[in-house]
Amino acid sequence: MAEKQTVHDEKTPLTSDMSDIAEGSIASSRATSKQSFFSKLRRTEKSYAAVEAADEFAFLPEDEARILRDQVEVLPSRASYFSLYRYANSKDRFILAIGILAAVLEGVLKPLMAILFGSVTDIFTNYDPNRYEYTNGTYYEIESYNSIQTYREDMEPVTPDEYYRIVRSLSLYLVYIGIADVALSHIKTFVFIDRGEVLSARIREHYLAATLKQNIGYFDKLGSGEITSRITSDTILVQEAMSEKIAFIIANTTTFFAAIIVAFMQSYILTLIMLSILISIIVSTGTASAFMIKYLKKAQDGYAVGGTLAEEVISSVRNVQAFGVQDVMVSAYDTFLKVSEYWSIWSGVAAGLMNGSMYLCSFSTDAMAYWQGVRLYSEYKVTIGNIVTIVFAIFQGAYAFAIISPYLSSVTSGIAAASKIFATIDRTSAIDSSDNTGAKLDSVEGTIELKNIKFIYPSRPNVTVLDNFNLTIPAGKTVALVGSSGSGKSTIVGLIERFYNPIDGDVFLDGKNIKEMNIRWLRQKIALVSQEPTLFACSIFQNIAYGLVGTEYEFASGVQQRQLVIDACKQANAWTFIEKLPEGLETNVGERGFLMSGGQKQRIAIARAIVSNPKILLLDEATSALDTKSEGVVQEALDRASKNRTTIVIAHRLSTIKSADCIVVMRRGKILEMGTHAELISLEGEYYDLVKAQQIESVKEKEREKLGATSNQLDETEIELTTYLTRTKTALSDAVYHGGDVEQQKPPSFTEALRFIYNLSRPELTYNIIGLIACFFNGMGYPALGLLWGKNLEAFGFYEDRNELRTYISRNAGFLFMLACSLGLSNTISGSFFGYTSSRLVRRIRNLSFGQLLRQEIGFFDRDENTVGSLTGMLSRDAQSVEGLGGITLGKIIDSFITVFVSCVISIGVAWKFGLVITAGVPVLMGCGFYRFYLLTAFESRVKTENEHTSTFACEATSSIRTVVALTRESDVWETYHASLDQIIKNNRPSSMKSAFFYGLCQGNIFFVMALAFWYGGQLLGTGEYGLFQYYTVFMSVIFGAESAGVVFSFAPDMGKAIQASKNIKSLLDRTPVIDTWSKEGAVPENVQGQIEFRDVYFKYPTRPEVPVLRGLNLKIEKGQYVALVGASGCGKSTTIGLIEEFYKPFSGKIMLDGTDINEFNINAYRQQISLVSQEPTLYAGSIRYNIALGSSSPVTDDEIVAVCVEANIHDFIMSLPDGYDTLCGAKGSLLSGGQKQRIAIARALIRKPKVLLLDEATSALDSESEKVVQAALDSAAKGRTTIAVAHRLSTIQNADVIYVFEGGKVVESGTHQNLLMQKGRYFELVQLQALEESS
């Protein structure tokens, strides 16, 4: 236990790679990374994984294990491609049938071109322009003509008139095919893009619906970040698998089979010989795809777990910055990125092998066709036209099959992603809130009985929380549950709400087992106010109106609902502060209610609970976050609300439950005492001790007299209020406000985004260069093929001796096979190497983006657009989009550009006149493609904003699942989400239509270029200006160049997404925050004494500049003083703490540490002197030891950890757990109770050994028993350091050296507890409200 643990002192992985990047895109250095404090305590995937491999319930009896297993187990789902369309209706199937028909017809067009090509070859090889001369508009055969050109026995020589007529006819046929291709390509692309959006939206909706109906135990084992990752990046992968990519696969597959049919029609013998190669293409593709799916699943699983960590960390960014653990969290995040990267690399290798084998096989078809074709030709079994048609058709088929590898990668990625999504959708929830079965009582009286209850949390199966527990709560009575943290109080609330199923025993409502009741109906009869209130990112009115869901007022008129909401606000003492807000009830509370203070959030939550006048009211620490004044009024309202309904109150603050009909005292899942307040006090037992621990000291009469005599002669060490109370300024200039924000950045341009991605990829420059060299060879493949084709077809018209012809063609077939082997190798290299570099790039982007997010000032996270959901979605989605332009896709794009360029050069070099005319069509084709790319880039920018909104909404709902299900908001959440997605689809449709049209134009242009080549080339051949070699070399080079250009722009959607994602990432990484934790500037505080002073400080939150919070705050805290800040909610207490932590900068005034403005200090060095315990404790999904060690900036020993845990009164509890300090806390500390989390947070603060200790409601979640001990520990810890405590529970701060009373953003009273009581001002009123017993 006493062994010392070491610190890893190295930079965050991948960060060091980027230290010298040009353009200033990324900061040159970071603060020294403290990746882990305990080598044996490094996070593992188990900390976040949804399902563990081993059966963690094996030690339990089978019936108990089954109950727990049913609540957390997720059975794997095997998805096939057709399962992606499981939500298609008859309309979708009809539209898809049209799209499939269009794709099939388009796929048939290219084999038709092979027939035309074969026909024209017969004409070209059997026509000799030197045989005729043109005179007076008529062709005459030259009598003395003696040509070396031979003519096949099966054809008569072609006359010039017939020759030109056939050339014109074939050219027109190609024009008609091109027009058909424009229409068919447009239809199939639009249909699949549109239906892909529609059907993927339905998958998103079903996934969210399935998630919302899961039992709470499922969420205890699964982070909301993983859900966000699934609903953003994974569903995008599914959408891509159903969108235009599948249309390309269908069209190309049709081309493949149509080409075989055409080939069979020409010569079944030659076609059968070539089928062996085609079969090898299918086998190699299927094998590689299977491995790709396997590796992609593992990569996605790795990141999904990392996504949960990211969501957890970003949602608690204040805590992360306060303790300076940004680099620790980035390092932890990177461990999951490593897993994802490893399997992504292997997936890239599999894709590269698949691509290489496809090119090897497809180019080998040419070698095989000419080798065997010339043999059959020499045996008079086929004609030249047959051979050319078969070669061209089979090559077209093989080429079509070869270029679908990137599309197959997208499909396999989509299938892999779908398997995880469908596993959740198909999961049978142990407690299904969407199930409409179950009894609904005609009337509810409210008698609740827990009978023989045994309960174990599914996420912590080795701890029994309740064992043989029995409790009856009479209808209409108020029963209070008190006891130490972890005694099972909140568990009882969870059982009544049916969040969990007990292992044994039953819960009854009015004598009826709640397992037999309809779950939604049951929850609609119960109102819950939780310990940590959850609000949704909408207006105050909407938040409170959610309490009407499922009641008769759910669909009432707006006026009636508004009146009910106002009445509830008045009862909850919320109306006073709401009506002062500029927008009143329409004020947006921000994500998770961050724009409200803790007390304001709690009062809104109470109003939401009582607005529906529920039969059963559950108050789980409902007033813990309220100030004393508010608590008194709210408690009175709750007392009134409790009449004539069953109320269960969980309370640590015993003043709130004095009037309860029955108080139940619990410890470790057992009932120790029961009775009224008076009865239990008279027993002088456990409850009596708890009350005494909380009792505020009464002022004795002689102390009053003494203080009265000296009240005008305060000690010099106390603050003279009049010195600092200055007149409030009426307003702050706009310049002051805007000076606190970062200057608006100009969005990066296209070239800047490309340069930025290049800079990010520089560490893998060697691999990229090798990939580019391989791509150069790939791009040379088609021009080389054109040269060999030209030589072969020229030979058919040149050689008279068929045996000589066979020898010549067979040699060229060998060259073709060599070309196939080199292209197979180069494509494997380019695919594998670019797959490696893209995987590394994705990891680097996510790593740097996450680090940059944690670098930003807190005001950045307050903005509406920077919600946790949108930021975690951005981490997942943008990197994924950049990866979509990597690997095989990047290789194909580079190949295509090289092919276009080299083809044009060779064409002009071989036959400049013909080459110039034909290549003139390529820029037109490229122009259409680039315009489509431009449209898609703008489209992606708009879609990004819309998707951020929907992902934020889904993340908010799933991260607040207990509140959502308690309010039975599942249907409401789903309907809102559905409406958002539906609107996005409607908005996207015109853009998709336009994009599809330009894609069709690109595809049709290929045929138009070919028509031009047939016509103009035929003219040049007819005049004898060029021969067959020149014609076919130019024709094949330009045609395949044009097709390659078409392939490039089939990736336009991926390119658009990648460029937009690059701009987003660059904008983020270029952003320098107002308060920069990476900055090396500023002095390092030395010999810190801990004196804090506020000098005329004014402050408004940047997101709400119209609401002043601090209005000329002046206070001074001397070295070593224990100072308390008290006052009503929203008066600026927590804001003061935030300003001391330098989360924000004041708009005017100064904050001083030891007489020096804190702006002059280095932010990290300054924060190392401070330790913070927040109002809502934040723990991370690691062990208890890991969480405590995060508080220290230097290595700590196990003995030091134990010492601070003893101080925080948590050591005994930790040692009672089977795994002790290695016990996992769960995501956001979900496996621990509120009090346990708070005590661990206190231990984490103490291990830092701070000079200044900030306690923002540090003991609000503690029970009375723990509070007394912890408060004593805090009092002890405060010695020798400055301590600033924000407190509502005044018993915790009565021994403070100075108490400052806040009101309206300034100090209105200050002094000791005794002095302030003597003044009988605001503080005296607060004390009287909280007094446990009247003065005698």
Side-chain angles (χ1 to χ4, degrees):
M1 194 68 173
E3 67 171 327
K4 285 197 174 186
Q5 315 297 339
T6 59
V7 174
H8 296 279
D9 189 16
E10 58 189 47
K11 284 191 174 184
T12 302
L14 299 182
T15 304
S16 56
D17 295 342
M18 302 303 300
S19 58
D20 298 317
I21 282 183
E23 306 296 322
S25 296
I26 298 166
S28 61
S29 62
R30 293 269 194 102
T32 303
S33 174
K34 40 179 181 176
Q35 290 188 20
S36 173
F37 297 101
F38 298 89
S39 57
K40 69 182 180 182
L41 298 175
R42 291 181 71 83
R43 290 178 177 218
T44 63
E45 290 190 42
K46 181 182 175 185
S47 300
Y48 289 90
V51 181
E52 297 172 26
D55 185 2
E56 57 185 325
F57 308 114
F59 65 94
L60 294 169
E62 181 53 34
D63 58 334
E64 295 185 0
R66 178 177 50 76
I67 293 171
L68 295 177
R69 197 179 292 117
D70 287 346
Q71 295 182 69
V72 295
E73 190 174 47
V74 181
L75 297 176
S77 175
R78 295 181 65 85
S80 66
Y81 181 75
F82 293 106
S83 66
L84 302 183
Y85 295 90
R86 65 198 292 182
Y87 301 116
N89 56 32
S90 56
K91 176 185 174 182
D92 299 317
R93 287 190 284 271
F94 176 74
I95 295 173
L96 285 169
I98 294 174
I100 291 170
L101 178 62
V104 168
L105 291 175
E106 191 214 0
V108 171
L109 296 180
K110 288 180 182 175
L112 289 179
M113 183 178 68
I115 297 175
L116 295 176
F117 194 58
S119 300
V120 83
T121 301
D122 272 334
I123 299 299
F124 287 168
T125 55
N126 209 40
Y127 176 74
D128 187 354
N130 297 319
R131 186 182 182 90
Y132 303 93
E133 70 175 358
Y134 186 74
T135 305
N136 297 326
T138 306
Y139 284 96
Y140 297 94
E141 187 173 359
I142 301 173
E143 293 182 4
S144 61
Y145 175 72
N146 185 17
S147 174
I148 63 169
Q149 181 169 341
T150 59
Y151 296 94
R152 302 194 303 280
E153 295 82 348
D154 57 336
M155 291 190 68
E156 292 292 329
V158 180
T159 65
D161 290 333
E162 185 181 6
Y163 170 80
Y164 285 113
R165 181 183 61 79
I166 293 173
V167 167
R168 283 194 298 271
S169 297
L170 293 176
S171 299
L172 280 174
Y173 287 149
L174 283 171
V175 171
Y176 299 149
I177 292 174
I179 293 171
D181 200 13
V182 171
L184 293 171
S185 294
H186 169 68
I187 292 170
K188 63 121 183 184
T189 304
F190 172 71
V191 164
F192 278 95
I193 289 176
D194 185 64
R195 288 304 101 182
E197 280 200 272
V198 170
L199 295 174
S200 65
R202 288 194 196 139
I203 291 174
R204 287 185 178 99
E205 291 169 3
H206 279 81
Y207 179 74
L208 181 62
T211 302
L212 293 174
K213 75 177 184 180
Q214 300 302 324
N215 52 282
I216 299 299
Y218 170 84
F219 294 93
D220 291 344
K221 301 281 281 184
L222 187 77
S224 59
E226 181 168 344
I227 295 170
T228 305
S229 178
R230 295 268 180 247
I231 213 165
T232 51
S233 60
D234 285 5
T235 52
I236 287 173
L237 293 176
V238 174
Q239 179 177 336
E240 289 180 349
M242 293 189 291
S243 292
E244 72 273 17
K245 291 182 173 61
I246 192 62
F248 301 144
I249 291 174
I250 293 171
N252 287 357
T253 305
T254 302
T255 299
F256 176 77
F257 288 107
I260 294 174
I261 293 170
V262 168
F264 266 110
M265 292 168 62
Q266 301 296 315
S267 171
Y268 74 93
I269 298 174
L270 183 56
T271 305
L272 285 172
I273 291 171
M274 297 174 68
L275 278 181
S276 59
I277 295 178
L278 297 180
I279 291 171
S280 66
I281 292 178
I282 296 171
V283 171
S284 62
T285 301
T287 304
S289 294
F291 279 101
M292 283 176 63
I293 291 175
K294 175 184 175 183
Y295 297 145
L296 282 169
K297 276 185 179 179
K298 294 185 176 182
Q300 289 161 5
D301 288 347
Y303 183 71
V305 177
T308 291
L309 184 152
E311 191 273 338
E312 180 181 288
V313 171
I314 293 173
S315 66
S316 61
V317 68
R318 286 169 172 78
N319 193 72
V320 169
Q321 292 200 2
F323 285 96
V325 294
Q326 294 96 319
D327 289 322
V328 180
M329 295 306 173
V330 170
S331 178
Y333 181 62
D334 191 61
T335 60
F336 297 110
L337 297 184
K338 286 179 184 176
V339 175
S340 181
E341 176 199 60
Y342 176 80
W343 292 114
S344 292
I345 289 172
W346 277 109
S347 175
V349 171
L353 287 170
M354 178 179 72
N355 197 38
S357 64
M358 290 176 74
Y359 268 84
L360 170 65
C361 295
S362 60
F363 274 74
S364 294
T365 58
D366 285 57
M368 178 72 79
Y370 279 112
W371 179 42
Q372 291 299 309
V374 75
R375 178 181 67 81
L376 295 173
Y377 177 74
S378 66
E379 297 172 358
Y380 297 93
K381 293 181 178 179
V382 295
T383 66
I384 295 175
N386 295 145
I387 294 173
V388 170
T389 300
I390 291 171
V391 172
F392 201 81
I394 294 296
F395 183 80
Q396 282 282 0
Y399 175 77
F401 214 75
I403 63 173
I404 67 174
S405 54
Y407 309 133
L408 288 175
S409 297
S410 295
V411 171
T412 52
S413 298
I415 294 171
S419 62
K420 285 290 182 183
I421 293 171
F422 290 156
T424 300
I425 293 175
D426 296 337
R427 182 180 186 269
T428 301
S429 176
I431 305 171
D432 187 353
S433 60
S434 66
D435 187 358
N436 291 321
T437 62
K440 299 180 182 179
L441 303 184
D442 294 332
S443 62
V444 176
E445 293 182 5
T447 300
I448 297 173
E449 183 181 5
L450 291 87
K451 193 171 184 180
N452 302 324
I453 295 291
K454 179 179 181 181
F455 181 77
I456 298 172
Y457 279 102
S459 53
R460 217 165 66 212
N462 47 8
V463 178
T464 301
V465 181
L466 299 176
D467 193 5
N468 196 30
F469 184 87
N470 291 275
L471 177 64
T472 299
I473 302 167
K477 300 296 184 183
T478 298
V479 173
L481 307 178
V482 300
S484 59
S485 297
S487 62
K489 304 185 301 296
S490 294
T491 300
I492 292 171
V493 169
L495 289 171
I496 294 172
E497 280 274 8
R498 232 191 136 200
F499 289 160
Y500 302 93
N501 282 330
I503 294 297
D504 194 15
D506 295 291
V507 181
F508 296 90
L509 173 60
D510 292 346
K512 185 82 170 178
N513 194 325
I514 64 171
K515 288 182 181 178
E516 301 172 6
M517 294 182 181
N518 180 274
I519 297 171
R520 286 176 61 82
W521 176 89
L522 172 68
R523 289 173 179 167
Q524 285 168 359
K525 302 303 175 186
I526 301 171
L528 170 66
V529 182
S530 301
Q531 185 172 349
E532 296 174 7
T534 299
L535 301 183
F536 301 99
C538 55
S539 68
I540 295 174
F541 173 79
Q542 287 174 298
N543 268 284
I544 298 173
Y546 285 142
L548 297 172
V549 173
T551 70
E552 58 183 308
Y553 301 108
E554 181 178 3
F555 303 107
S557 66
V559 175
Q560 191 175 6
Q561 283 192 347
R562 192 173 187 84
Q563 189 56 51
L564 288 170
V565 167
I566 292 173
D567 291 342
C569 291
K570 289 177 178 177
Q571 288 184 58
N573 193 31
W575 186 244
T576 305
F577 82 84
I578 291 173
E579 65 178 348
K580 291 179 181 178
L581 296 172
E583 296 179 56
L585 281 172
E586 302 308 317
T587 302
N588 194 300
V589 301
E591 187 183 18
R592 292 182 172 87
F594 77 87
L595 293 178
M596 301 285 121
S597 71
Q600 290 168 343
K601 284 196 293 183
Q602 191 69 284
R603 279 179 281 174
I604 293 170
I606 291 169
R608 182 175 61 196
I610 63 178
V611 71
S612 63
N613 194 25
K615 290 291 183 181
I616 300 170
L617 188 61
L618 306 179
L619 306 174
D620 188 355
E621 284 291 331
T623 60
S624 62
L626 298 181
D627 58 89
T628 307
K629 184 175 182 180
S630 298
E631 182 193 20
V633 181
V634 172
Q635 191 58 49
E636 183 183 349
L638 289 175
D639 289 343
R640 290 197 307 270
S642 300
K643 291 179 181 179
N644 301 319
R645 65 167 56 94
T646 306
T647 306
I648 300 174
V649 183
I650 296 175
H652 291 146
R653 203 181 300 178
L654 303 182
S655 59
T656 63
I657 50 94
K658 284 193 303 178
S659 59
D661 297 304
C662 181
I663 298 172
V664 179
V665 183
M666 298 174 61
R667 179 184 289 173
R668 295 181 181 176
K670 302 285 187 183
I671 296 176
L672 300 181
E673 299 173 349
M674 289 176 62
T676 64
H677 173 73
E679 290 170 352
L680 294 177
I681 288 292
S682 64
L683 290 175
E684 296 191 3
E686 186 80 11
Y687 182 75
Y688 178 82
D689 293 338
L690 295 176
V691 170
K692 286 300 179 184
Q694 264 188 33
Q695 190 170 11
I696 295 178
E697 181 186 21
S698 297
V699 181
K700 297 180 181 179
E701 185 63 31
K702 62 180 182 180
E703 289 177 324
R704 283 203 187 94
E705 292 173 356
K706 179 179 178 181
L707 287 169
T710 60
S711 59
N712 294 323
Q713 301 172 3
L714 298 177
D715 193 281
E716 290 180 3
T717 60
E718 295 193 17
I719 307 303
E720 293 186 17
L721 200 59
T722 54
T723 305
Y724 296 100
L725 289 180
T726 57
R727 193 166 64 89
T728 302
K729 294 182 181 178
T730 57
L732 290 171
S733 69
D734 289 340
V736 173
Y737 166 67
H738 290 294
D741 201 358
V742 178
E743 184 180 347
Q744 187 67 32
Q745 291 176 296
K746 182 182 178 182
S749 66
F750 176 79
T751 53
E752 286 175 334
L754 287 180
R755 192 185 310 124
F756 168 70
I757 291 299
Y758 166 74
N759 288 334
L760 278 180
S761 302
R762 276 176 57 185
E764 286 76 50
L765 185 61
T766 303
Y767 296 94
N768 282 322
I769 289 174
I770 294 172
L772 283 171
I773 293 171
C775 283
F776 177 77
F777 284 104
N778 296 342
M780 293 291 289
Y782 290 114
L785 183 69
L787 288 169
L788 290 171
W789 269 56
K791 284 293 184 184
N792 285 343
L793 293 175
E794 181 187 48
F796 277 107
F798 180 79
Y799 284 97
E800 181 177 0
D801 187 335
R802 295 201 175 198
N803 289 324
E804 289 183 15
L805 175 66
R806 181 176 179 181
T807 301
Y808 181 82
I809 296 293
S810 296
R811 185 186 64 184
N812 281 354
F815 291 146
L816 282 168
F817 182 69
M818 290 171 60
L819 177 63
C821 291
S822 64
L823 287 176
L825 179 62
S826 60
N827 273 278
T828 299
I829 291 172
S830 65
S832 300
F833 276 59
F834 282 136
Y836 172 80
T837 57
S838 67
S839 298
R840 292 279 295 171
L841 178 62
V842 167
R843 176 185 167 193
R844 183 173 296 111
I845 286 172
R846 284 176 171 157
N847 182 284
L848 292 171
S849 297
F850 187 58
Q852 181 75 355
L853 284 176
L854 299 187
R855 174 193 181 192
Q856 301 307 310
E857 77 279 2
I858 298 300
F860 172 83
F861 299 92
D862 291 345
R863 296 177 181 175
D864 290 340
E865 67 271 22
N866 295 330
T867 61
V868 175
S870 65
L871 294 178
T872 52
M874 180 271 293
L875 283 174
S876 175
R877 181 184 56 254
D878 283 357
Q880 193 83 47
S881 296
V882 172
E883 185 181 30
L885 197 56
I888 294 180
T889 306
L890 178 61
K892 289 288 183 192
I893 292 170
I894 296 173
D895 295 351
S896 299
F897 275 115
I898 293 172
T899 299
V900 170
F901 176 75
V902 175
S903 296
C904 292
V905 170
I906 289 177
S907 299
I908 295 170
V910 171
W912 70 270
K913 189 182 293 186
F914 186 33
L916 279 175
V917 170
I918 302 305
T919 55
V922 176
V924 176
L925 188 147
M926 300 283 281
C928 290
F930 272 114
Y931 185 66
R932 180 177 187 241
F933 174 64
Y934 165 77
L935 289 175
L936 287 170
T937 302
F939 170 70
E940 283 301 318
S941 177
R942 178 168 55 79
V943 169
K944 169 185 174 287
T945 304
E946 294 172 338
N947 284 337
E948 280 181 353
H949 173 72
T950 57
S951 64
T952 296
F953 181 78
C955 178
E956 180 187 51
T958 52
S959 61
S960 309
I961 188 64
R962 291 171 191 266
T963 304
V964 170
V965 299
L967 293 170
T968 64
R969 275 201 64 208
E970 298 96 326
S971 297
D972 170 61
V973 167
W974 183 89
E975 286 168 4
T976 304
Y977 187 66
H978 166 75
S980 298
L981 292 179
D982 197 46
Q983 189 60 46
I984 289 173
I985 291 169
K986 289 178 181 177
N987 293 342
N988 291 349
R989 207 156 266 153
S991 299
S992 300
M993 180 78 76
K994 195 180 294 184
S995 167
F997 172 74
F998 279 98
Y999 173 73
L1001 206 56
C1002 287
Q1003 295 301 102
N1005 272 337
I1006 296 172
F1007 289 96
F1008 300 148
V1009 171
M1010 290 178 68
L1012 178 62
F1014 268 29
W1015 176 77
Y1016 187 64
Q1019 301 295 321
L1020 295 174
L1021 276 174
T1023 60
E1025 190 170 346
Y1026 291 129
L1028 287 175
F1029 168 72
Q1030 292 164 310
Y1031 175 83
Y1032 280 110
T1033 299
V1034 172
F1035 181 83
M1036 296 299 293
S1037 296
V1038 172
I1039 292 311
F1040 284 118
E1043 286 202 354
S1044 294
V1047 170
V1048 166
F1049 294 110
S1050 71
F1051 295 116
D1054 295 318
M1055 295 164 66
K1057 290 177 184 176
I1059 294 301
Q1060 182 58 44
S1062 303
K1063 291 180 179 181
N1064 298 339
I1065 295 162
K1066 186 177 189 303
S1067 294
L1068 172 64
L1069 297 186
D1070 282 349
R1071 186 182 191 276
T1072 301
V1074 175
I1075 303 170
D1076 190 359
T1077 57
W1078 289 5
S1079 173
K1080 299 292 184 182
E1081 297 177 358
V1084 176
E1086 295 181 355
N1087 300 318
V1088 175
Q1089 302 298 307
Q1091 185 189 71
I1092 300 287
E1093 185 178 0
F1094 278 65
R1095 292 183 181 174
D1096 201 24
V1097 171
Y1098 285 79
F1099 179 76
K1100 299 178 182 180
Y1101 283 101
T1103 52
R1104 291 174 61 189
E1106 73 281 2
V1107 180
V1109 181
L1110 298 183
R1111 311 184 189 196
L1113 177 64
N1114 290 277
L1115 60 83
K1116 188 173 184 181
I1117 302 165
E1118 299 293 347
K1119 165 191 172 183
Q1121 276 192 328
Y1122 187 162
V1123 171
L1125 312 180
V1126 301
S1129 295
C1131 65
K1133 306 184 300 297
S1134 294
T1135 300
T1136 303
I1137 297 292
L1139 289 172
I1140 294 174
E1141 274 282 4
E1142 210 173 344
F1143 289 156
Y1144 305 91
K1145 289 187 179 294
F1147 297 136
S1148 69
K1150 291 184 178 181
I1151 303 169
M1152 319 289 285
L1153 173 65
D1154 294 343
T1156 303
D1157 191 332
I1158 63 173
N1159 288 325
E1160 298 179 13
F1161 293 124
N1162 175 269
I1163 183 63
N1164 295 309
Y1166 168 72
R1167 284 180 179 164
Q1168 284 177 5
Q1169 312 301 320
I1170 301 171
S1171 203
L1172 171 67
V1173 181
S1174 300
Q1175 186 172 349
E1176 297 177 6
T1178 300
L1179 301 183
Y1180 302 99
S1183 66
I1184 293 174
R1185 189 196 312 261
Y1186 172 86
N1187 272 280
I1188 294 171
L1190 285 176
S1192 177
S1193 58
S1194 58
V1196 292
T1197 64
D1198 285 356
D1199 287 341
E1200 289 175 302
I1201 290 177
V1202 171
V1204 294
C1205 288
V1206 170
E1207 281 188 79
N1209 191 32
I1210 191 67
H1211 175 70
D1212 290 341
F1213 165 74
I1214 294 172
M1215 296 310 295
S1216 70
L1217 298 172
D1219 294 329
Y1221 281 85
D1222 294 323
T1223 300
L1224 297 177
C1225 299
K1228 299 181 182 177
S1230 61
L1231 301 183
L1232 300 172
S1233 71
Q1236 292 158 359
K1237 286 194 291 184
Q1238 191 67 285
R1239 282 180 282 168
I1240 291 173
I1242 292 169
R1244 179 175 60 197
L1246 295 178
I1247 205 166
R1248 195 174 178 83
K1249 299 176 182 176
K1251 296 296 184 181
V1252 179
L1253 182 61
L1254 305 177
L1255 308 173
D1256 190 357
E1257 284 291 330
T1259 60
S1260 64
L1262 298 182
D1263 54 89
S1264 298
E1265 181 180 345
S1266 299
E1267 181 190 11
K1268 182 178 180 181
V1269 181
V1270 171
Q1271 192 59 50
L1274 289 175
D1275 291 342
S1276 174
K1279 293 178 180 177
R1281 62 170 60 92
T1282 304
T1283 303
I1284 303 171
V1286 172
H1288 290 147
R1289 201 180 304 177
L1290 304 181
S1291 60
T1292 63
I1293 51 89
Q1294 59 181 317
N1295 294 323
D1297 297 316
V1298 181
I1299 299 171
Y1300 287 98
V1301 183
F1302 277 58
E1303 187 172 286
K1306 56 185 178 180
V1307 176
V1308 294
E1309 289 180 3
S1310 69
T1312 64
H1313 171 69
Q1314 305 291 1
N1315 288 334
L1316 291 173
L1317 283 179
M1318 284 303 304
Q1319 292 179 24
K1320 292 191 177 182
R1322 295 296 175 84
Y1323 183 76
F1324 180 80
E1325 292 177 11
L1326 297 176
V1327 171
Q1328 289 299 110
L1329 285 169
Q1330 211 175 91
L1332 285 173
E1333 55 189 19
E1334 297 179 0
S1335 301
S1336 55

